[in-house]
């Protein structure tokens, strides 16, 4: 479900190799600094633009005390700082050299930061917004979620929608 709604900066392919997602490229520029060049023209499903400021906001939130209860926050615990170089370039500073930081970031799905801040985590969970090819349009008490194509996604949807069903054991 999450990969239909959200994207990470970096993802892995079927062979387990890193490949571009929201970041087109990445490289270590110092022992504790990685530079990520981001994809242009991407929007979240709620219309917010994706850029270095949005990525920095989400990563900063994951580093916060408020986010410590979320498993994905473990993947960013070695990050000591985030700097926006320009609208589509982001530097991530680590407390210690971290040769596998891009691999760690494959688990970090980026969400629309303004929606998260404005709605709060509980309401955001009801109305999520990501950069993936689909967006949730309704939840059903019967265990069904309906997603429709997010035509603004950089990953073009190949179908018009998805129905997710919760099936009890």
């Amino acid at each position: 479900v999450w990969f239909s709604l959200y994207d990470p900066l970096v993802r892995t392919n079927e062979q387990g190799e890193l490949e571009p997602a929201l970041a087109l490229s990445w490289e270590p520029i110092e022992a504790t600094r990685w530079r990520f060049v981001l994809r242009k023209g991407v929007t979240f499903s709620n219309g917010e633009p994706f850029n270095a400021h949005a990525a920095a906001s989400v990563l900063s939130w994951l580093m916060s005390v408020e986010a410590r209860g979320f498993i994905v926050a473990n993947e960013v615990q070695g990050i000591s700082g985030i700097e926006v170089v320009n609208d589509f370039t982001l530097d991530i500073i680590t407390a210690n050299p971290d040769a596998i930081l891009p691999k760690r970031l494959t688990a970090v799905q980026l969400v629309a930061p303004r929606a998260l801040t404005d709605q709060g985590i509980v309401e955001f969970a009801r109305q999520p917004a990501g950069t993936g090819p689909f967006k949730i349009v309704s939840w059903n008490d019967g265990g069904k979620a309906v997603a429709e194509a997010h035509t603004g996604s950089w990953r073009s949807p190949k179908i018009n929608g998805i129905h997710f069903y919760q099936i009890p054991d």
Side-chain angles (χ1 to χ4, degrees):
V1 174
W2 303 126
F3 289 104
S4 65
L5 304 177
Y6 307 108
D7 293 300
L9 290 174
V10 181
R11 64 184 180 183
T12 55
N13 63 21
E14 292 82 14
Q15 292 75 39
E17 301 161 333
L18 296 178
E19 64 180 24
L22 292 174
L24 294 171
S25 64
W26 52 93
E27 65 178 337
I29 58 172
E30 294 175 10
T32 58
R33 180 181 294 261
W34 282 85
R35 177 155 292 164
F36 292 81
V37 176
L38 307 180
R39 191 177 294 277
K40 295 178 181 175
V42 177
T43 59
F44 290 96
S45 59
N46 68 345
E48 284 181 56
F50 169 77
N51 54 34
H53 300 281
S57 178
V58 174
L59 292 170
S60 294
W61 183 82
L62 285 170
M63 294 166 54
S64 73
V65 173
E66 183 182 2
R68 282 194 186 149
F70 295 93
I71 292 173
V72 72
N74 290 329
E75 301 302 334
V76 301
Q77 67 184 359
I79 295 174
S80 61
I82 300 162
E83 294 178 9
V84 173
V85 176
N86 61 46
D87 283 346
F88 295 98
T89 307
L90 181 71
D91 281 2
I92 298 178
I93 299 100
T94 56
N96 298 298
D98 187 351
I100 64 166
L101 178 68
K103 183 78 165 182
R104 289 182 204 288
L105 293 178
T106 63
V108 180
Q109 306 291 317
L110 298 182
V111 302
R114 193 171 58 239
L116 179 63
T117 301
D118 292 351
Q119 295 172 297
I121 193 70
V122 172
E123 190 57 33
F124 183 85
R126 292 185 184 120
Q127 297 178 342
T131 59
F134 295 93
K135 59 184 177 181
I136 296 291
V137 292
S138 70
W139 297 99
N140 180 319
D141 290 332
K144 176 182 171 184
V146 177
E148 69 181 16
H150 167 213
T151 56
S153 175
W154 66 277
R155 291 190 292 143
S156 297
K158 294 179 176 42
I159 57 176
N160 293 330
I162 304 172
H163 291 205
F164 297 102
Y165 295 93
Q166 178 181 353
I167 301 174
D169 290 341

